Amino acid sequence: MAVTKRTPLPVAEAVNKILNHTRLWGIEKISINECDNRILAEDLTATHDVPPFNRSPYDGFAIRSEDTKHASLDHPITLNVVETIGAGQVAEHEVKSGMAVRIMTGAKIPEGADAVIMLELVKERVADNKNQIIIKRSVKKDENISFQGEDTQEGTLLVKAGTKITPGIVAILATFGYHRISVYKQPVVGILSTGTELLDVNEELQPGKIRNSNAYMCAAQVRAMGAKIKLYQHREDNFDSLYKNIKEALQETDVLITTGGVSVGDYDFLPEIYKKLGAEVLFNKVAMRPGSVTTVAVYEDKWLFGLSGNPSACFVGAELFVRPVILKGMSVLKPHCKVTKALLSKDFPKPNPFTRFVRAILSEDIDGNVVTPAGLDKSSSVSSLIEANCLIVLPGGTRGWETGSEVGVITWHGEGSEWPWDHPLFSKSSAIKTVEKQR
Amino acid sequence: MAVTKRTPLPVAEAVNKILNHTRLWGIEKISINECDNRILAEDLTATHDVPPFNRSPYDGFAIRSEDTKHASLDHPITLNVVETIGAGQVAEHEVKSGMAVRIMTGAKIPEGADAVIMLELVKERVADNKNQIIIKRSVKKDENISFQGEDTQEGTLLVKAGTKITPGIVAILATFGYHRISVYKQPVVGILSTGTELLDVNEELQPGKIRNSNAYMCAAQVRAMGAKIKLYQHREDNFDSLYKNIKEALQETDVLITTGGVSVGDYDFLPEIYKKLGAEVLFNKVAMRPGSVTTVAVYEDKWLFGLSGNPSACFVGAELFVRPVILKGMSVLKPHCKVTKALLSKDFPKPNPFTRFVRAILSEDIDGNVVTPAGLDKSSSVSSLIEANCLIVLPGGTRGWETGSEVGVITWHGEGSEWPWDHPLFSKSSAIKTVEKQR
């Protein structure tokens, strides 16, 4: 097979090409009991005021404030307690002059009452077979009343479509009676590893072979992004059977990720398979390390991601390119990894002809974020993925970095970002300046 | 019912009382396909070297370096290509003097070869019906060989028990053949809301009533901590039936969370229920807002959490007290919320007689972390939970906080902490100092 000349695309341009092709995954209704981390496909509005009625924030007595106008230590006043209501109960009596209703936290303020006096501020007694309270201070109108709508008014927009459902949002769903919820469907992402060297995880090692780790890792990444996984049996490097496997897998998936076979070696058949399929290749080389051979193609309404067979390159490819396809398809406002900055805790002497993504451990110390490259920076390294919780992004065209340099970092944890690639620390000019400043 | 005097315990002491009673949840074996976010119950060690054999990091030709000792532009040398191997294939020939094997990335270095020259550095030709390469430079011994064990050596401890399984760790599991994995069992956490005011999420509003949001919210929180949920029908405030419901629920759960009924009102039956059960109450008042009436008890080997019926208090109680019980039971090294510091973006004028937990939004700007209180700070407020991603922790005995003050913040996202409560920003003395510094 001829070695084809490929033009490397800057990362931001590659991602942009992808964004131009994303489509929505559709909507489904699910139960509140199964909506954790799903993405809302409808705006949530308050279907009633909160509180829905005037209520008592304390245990106490609902009274008419004017009855207490002249109450004092020297001139206590006495009210007759006509009934007791707990939360969820509604008073039978209207509170008239001289009357009080014993009321518990959360209960509805009875008709006629315009204030609540707390339990500990009254003296209770029984006189003439009547329950009475003695009050030695005046109580202001509206005192200790939580008013209808003071937290939230009916019709208020509370949560926008495209938001991930957190426990706090589950509370909103329950409060306002959303027991079935419109959420975006989860796309079906197929994962098919290629490579004659691959064994399955339950197979014994054989000479020249390694176990397939990419498929399982990538599946875990993509499940964390909120998609469903269809894991295919890994396949040998054989053009005809691979073509058939991929064509079949495309029938039952929205996105098909392959790992391996995407470079320019004798057994790298993916480029030819894209051609035979008639898929539109958006790019087949990215100005990045690892994963420069990452290829993305579209075929009818399906996506084809040709990730590198190297575990670290595969990991980076999924976070950079697969993530926005899945999340933009659910209208998520921040479909990309989040950017932050940190001080480099170790020298990183390698030159970076392309943008380099270094697996690293981001932590916080007294002075802020610190980032440490995780293990070996070889694209074949598996052990460096163990503790890595971020990727240091070193701009292409830089020569190496010293301890204490400020670097940009992307993480796949948390809320994501709208567009990370404009960050000033990701450009060469700011990078060089920063390094000089440190010297 | 008499108003009982309760002694408020500082938060750290309350958590400590809980930690003294935690137990392990036991171990089970699960498939690599269902292990996302589960907690390892075994150490992971490398079951073989990585790479497991000397291999080629590039597409090229495996050769004997001594054959090229005198090669140069003027004196090129010629080698016969005896075969081609891809990754996963093993060469049939030993490489002898004058021979080369065409080799693809990841393939095992053939016997006899001690270096690889990259594809682009040779000229290929066919002469005398033989495939040949012409080399115009000398190649050093060991050049372009990834050596067996250079990434990881067999027997190396890679991941410790008690670690959460991330996609990177899934890659390790697959690489080393861990297809069934020992993980900690997920405890069964029952949630039973109490309150005559409660309606279910699918019911229409009625006067004096509100929908039960606590149970659904708390279920989502506890699922995110890694436990299984058993959601019970909410119950009215009735001592006898509540006692029966709770006693039954304890038969089928490891942890039973109730919401509401835990204070000192006329319909707060939980304190009496703990007494009748014979449960050991670890504490029934905590020096915190919201949630001061939070009660934790143990009964045989079961846990009883009596959380407040106020949504925000309930939320805080689950993160502070339920979290460590679930996670310590899985040997997680950082079973508590994570601490970070941030600058307050708004005045918070309220005095804090007790430690106050303010629901807030933590974000990052150019100068570091900034935190903004979310919505109303009322313990009944539901809307303040929508965007909150952290809790500001304001030490008890402080008088109010100004914009720009440095405050301690705890979050339930990410990796957690070993023990957050010693943080200097959580103590009154440092707090006052910090505020003065800002003036």
Side-chain angles (χ1 to χ4, degrees):
Chain A
M1 201 172 302
V3 176
T4 324
K5 183 80 187 152
R6 299 181 180 183
T7 314
L9 218 58
V11 174
E13 280 182 41
V15 178
N16 247 331
K17 283 213 169 191
I18 287 176
L19 294 180
N20 289 336
H21 285 79
T22 54
R23 66 176 178 93
L24 293 176
W25 302 120
I27 291 170
E28 64 183 337
K29 282 245 176 194
I30 60 170
S31 154
I32 190 173
N33 289 309
E34 51 190 30
C35 71
D36 296 350
N37 298 315
R38 294 294 295 271
I39 307 297
L40 278 174
E42 59 180 327
D43 291 343
L44 301 182
T45 52
T47 55
H48 57 71
D49 290 337
V50 176
F53 44 81
N54 294 352
R55 70 183 170 195
S56 177
Y58 299 114
D59 297 341
F61 293 88
I63 59 172
R64 298 171 72 98
S65 59
E66 61 176 21
D67 283 356
T68 70
K69 200 153 60 178
H70 304 297
S72 68
L73 280 174
D74 298 334
H75 297 92
I77 60 123
T78 302
L79 301 175
N80 290 320
V81 181
V82 293
E83 67 179 305
T84 299
I85 55 168
Q89 298 173 338
V90 179
E92 287 169 16
H93 298 79
E94 184 185 335
V95 176
K96 293 187 176 148
S97 188
M99 287 165 56
V101 167
R102 187 178 169 92
I103 189 168
M104 297 293 117
T105 306
K108 188 177 183 212
I109 304 293
E111 291 293 309
D114 65 1
V116 169
I117 184 165
M118 288 164 80
L119 222 51
E120 11 335 7
L121 295 181
V122 307
K123 199 175 162 193
E124 297 181 71
R125 72 170 185 196
V126 180
D128 304 334
N129 253 342
K130 284 181 184 159
N131 289 315
Q132 294 186 328
I133 52 171
I134 298 167
I135 300 180
K136 293 180 176 176
R137 49 158 285 198
S138 69
V139 178
K140 286 197 208 81
K141 185 171 182 306
D142 298 343
E143 202 169 312
N144 293 329
I145 293 184
S146 294
F147 284 96
Q148 177 171 343
E150 74 172 21
D151 177 8
T152 308
Q153 289 185 7
E154 183 174 342
T156 306
L157 173 62
L158 295 173
V159 189
K160 282 191 185 160
T163 304
K164 186 188 268 196
I165 298 178
T166 60
I169 291 174
V170 169
I172 298 294
L173 293 169
T175 299
F176 295 108
Y178 290 89
H179 60 286
R180 291 192 65 79
I181 305 133
S182 289
V183 296
Y184 282 100
K185 284 186 187 166
Q186 303 178 286
V188 177
V189 177
I191 301 180
L192 194 162
S193 293
T194 73
T196 306
E197 76 277 23
L198 297 180
L199 300 166
D200 209 345
V201 56
N202 56 354
E203 290 186 274
E204 285 300 309
L205 272 199
Q206 296 167 25
K209 305 222 170 189
I210 56 171
R211 294 193 190 88
N212 175 18
S213 61
N214 285 333
Y216 292 95
M217 175 186 72
C218 202
Q221 287 178 276
V222 175
R223 277 193 295 263
M225 296 171 196
K228 284 183 185 161
I229 291 296
K230 232 176 138 63
L231 201 57
Y232 291 96
Q233 174 65 37
H234 64 85
R235 299 294 177 181
E236 297 204 340
D237 299 311
N238 173 303
F239 181 87
D240 292 326
S241 63
L242 258 185
Y243 175 78
K244 188 170 155 280
N245 297 146
I246 286 173
K247 182 118 194 183
E248 283 170 8
L250 279 170
Q251 302 305 310
E252 43 190 28
T253 54
D254 299 302
V255 173
L256 182 62
I257 297 174
T258 54
T259 70
V262 79
S263 189
V264 293
D266 294 5
Y267 302 93
D268 287 325
F269 296 125
L270 265 299
E272 284 300 308
I273 288 173
Y274 296 132
K275 198 181 270 181
K276 185 167 175 185
L277 275 172
E280 179 191 349
V281 173
L282 303 183
F283 53 85
N284 59 13
K285 191 156 180 112
V286 187
M288 64 186 263
R289 290 263 162 81
S292 64
V293 295
T294 304
T295 301
V296 178
V298 286
Y299 170 67
E300 294 171 356
D301 61 346
K302 313 281 185 168
W303 286 89
L304 286 150
F305 287 88
L307 302 185
S308 164
N310 280 321
S312 295
C314 181
F315 188 95
V316 172
E319 295 300 337
L320 261 52
F321 304 118
V322 179
R323 172 180 292 280
V325 167
I326 293 173
L327 296 186
K328 276 254 323 188
M330 301 176 185
S331 296
V332 171
L333 291 173
K334 297 180 174 179
H336 304 285
C337 284
K338 191 186 144 188
V339 191
T340 188
K341 60 180 184 177
L343 299 181
L344 196 60
S345 74
K346 269 188 193 171
D347 286 353
F348 191 87
K350 286 192 202 178
N352 306 292
F354 286 167
T355 302
R356 191 187 291 276
F357 294 89
V358 185
R359 295 166 302 290
I361 304 157
L362 182 67
S363 59
E364 218 176 326
D365 77 0
I366 294 169
D367 297 323
N369 287 331
V370 172
V371 69
T372 311
L376 288 171
D377 183 54
K378 296 199 170 181
S379 60
S380 63
S381 167
V382 162
S383 57
S384 65
L385 289 171
I386 299 174
E387 293 184 280
N389 58 9
C390 73
L391 297 166
I392 302 172
V393 184
L394 300 178
T398 56
R399 276 183 153 269
W401 294 75
E402 294 186 338
T403 305
S405 303
E406 192 169 56
V407 292
V409 155
I410 61 171
T411 74
W412 45 91
H413 299 287
E415 53 166 0
S417 74
E418 283 178 44
W419 181 252
W421 307 113
D422 289 338
H423 197 284
L425 284 173
F426 294 172
S427 76
K428 188 185 158 186
S429 56
S430 91
I432 286 169
K433 208 162 56 197
T434 310
V435 171
E436 280 169 354
K437 208 173 64 190
Q438 300 292 334
R439 274 173 182 159
Chain B
M1 200 173 302
V3 176
T4 325
K5 183 79 187 153
R6 299 181 181 183
T7 313
L9 219 56
V11 173
E13 281 182 41
V15 179
N16 246 331
K17 283 212 171 193
I18 287 176
L19 294 180
N20 289 336
H21 286 79
T22 53
R23 67 177 177 92
L24 293 176
W25 303 120
I27 292 170
E28 63 184 337
K29 282 244 177 195
I30 60 170
S31 155
I32 190 173
N33 288 309
E34 53 190 28
C35 70
D36 295 350
N37 298 315
R38 294 294 296 268
I39 308 297
L40 278 173
E42 60 180 326
D43 291 342
L44 301 183
T45 52
T47 56
H48 58 72
D49 290 338
V50 176
F53 43 82
N54 294 352
R55 69 184 171 196
S56 176
Y58 299 114
D59 297 342
F61 293 89
I63 58 173
R64 298 171 72 97
S65 58
E66 61 177 18
D67 283 356
T68 68
K69 201 153 57 180
H70 304 295
S72 68
L73 281 174
D74 297 335
H75 298 92
I77 60 124
T78 302
L79 300 176
N80 290 319
V81 180
V82 293
E83 66 178 306
T84 298
I85 56 169
Q89 297 174 338
V90 178
E92 286 168 16
H93 298 78
E94 185 184 335
V95 177
K96 294 185 175 147
S97 188
M99 289 166 55
V101 167
R102 188 177 168 92
I103 188 167
M104 297 293 118
T105 307
K108 189 177 183 217
I109 304 293
E111 290 295 309
D114 64 1
V116 169
I117 184 164
M118 288 165 79
L119 223 50
E120 32 297 35
L121 296 180
V122 306
K123 199 175 162 194
E124 296 180 72
R125 72 171 184 194
V126 179
D128 303 336
N129 252 341
K130 284 180 183 160
N131 290 315
Q132 295 187 325
I133 52 173
I134 298 166
I135 300 180
K136 295 179 177 176
R137 49 160 284 200
S138 70
V139 177
K140 288 197 206 81
K141 186 172 181 306
D142 299 342
E143 202 170 313
N144 292 330
I145 293 183
S146 294
F147 284 96
Q148 177 172 341
E150 74 173 22
D151 177 9
T152 307
Q153 289 186 6
E154 183 175 341
T156 307
L157 172 62
L158 295 172
V159 189
K160 281 191 185 161
T163 303
K164 187 188 268 196
I165 299 176
T166 60
I169 292 175
V170 169
I172 297 295
L173 293 168
T175 299
F176 295 107
Y178 291 90
H179 60 285
R180 291 193 65 79
I181 306 132
S182 289
V183 296
Y184 282 101
K185 284 186 185 164
Q186 303 178 287
V188 177
V189 177
I191 300 179
L192 194 163
S193 292
T194 74
T196 305
E197 76 276 24
L198 297 180
L199 300 167
D200 209 344
V201 56
N202 56 354
E203 290 185 273
E204 285 299 310
L205 272 198
Q206 296 166 26
K209 305 221 170 191
I210 56 171
R211 294 194 191 88
N212 175 17
S213 61
N214 284 333
Y216 292 96
M217 174 186 72
C218 202
Q221 287 178 276
V222 175
R223 277 192 296 264
M225 295 171 197
K228 284 183 183 160
I229 291 297
K230 232 177 140 60
L231 202 58
Y232 292 96
Q233 173 67 36
H234 63 84
R235 298 295 176 179
E236 296 204 340
D237 299 311
N238 174 302
F239 181 88
D240 292 327
S241 64
L242 257 185
Y243 175 78
K244 188 170 153 282
N245 297 146
I246 287 174
K247 183 118 193 183
E248 282 170 8
L250 280 170
Q251 301 306 308
E252 44 189 26
T253 54
D254 298 301
V255 173
L256 182 63
I257 297 174
T258 55
T259 71
V262 78
S263 189
V264 293
D266 296 5
Y267 302 94
D268 287 326
F269 296 125
L270 265 299
E272 284 300 307
I273 289 172
Y274 296 133
K275 197 181 270 181
K276 185 167 175 186
L277 276 172
E280 179 192 349
V281 174
L282 303 184
F283 54 84
N284 60 14
K285 188 152 182 118
V286 187
M288 63 186 264
R289 290 261 161 82
S292 64
V293 295
T294 303
T295 301
V296 178
V298 286
Y299 170 68
E300 294 172 356
D301 61 345
K302 312 283 185 168
W303 286 89
L304 285 149
F305 287 87
L307 302 186
S308 164
N310 280 320
S312 294
C314 181
F315 188 96
V316 172
E319 295 300 336
L320 261 52
F321 304 117
V322 179
R323 171 180 293 278
V325 166
I326 293 173
L327 297 186
K328 276 258 314 189
M330 300 176 186
S331 297
V332 170
L333 290 172
K334 296 179 174 179
H336 305 283
C337 283
K338 191 185 144 189
V339 191
T340 189
K341 59 181 185 178
L343 298 182
L344 196 61
S345 75
K346 267 188 195 172
D347 286 352
F348 191 86
K350 286 193 199 178
N352 306 292
F354 286 165
T355 303
R356 190 187 291 275
F357 293 89
V358 186
R359 294 166 302 289
I361 303 157
L362 182 67
S363 59
E364 220 177 324
D365 77 1
I366 295 169
D367 297 323
N369 287 332
V370 172
V371 68
T372 309
L376 289 171
D377 184 54
K378 296 198 168 180
S379 58
S380 63
S381 167
V382 161
S383 57
S384 64
L385 289 170
I386 300 174
E387 292 183 282
N389 58 7
C390 73
L391 297 165
I392 303 172
V393 184
L394 300 178
T398 56
R399 274 182 153 273
W401 293 74
E402 293 186 340
T403 305
S405 302
E406 192 169 57
V407 291
V409 155
I410 60 172
T411 74
W412 45 91
H413 299 288
E415 53 166 2
S417 73
E418 284 179 43
W419 182 251
W421 306 114
D422 290 339
H423 197 283
L425 283 173
F426 294 172
S427 76
K428 187 184 160 186
S429 56
S430 92
I432 287 168
K433 208 161 54 195
T434 311
V435 172
E436 280 169 354
K437 208 172 62 187
Q438 300 294 336
R439 275 173 182 160

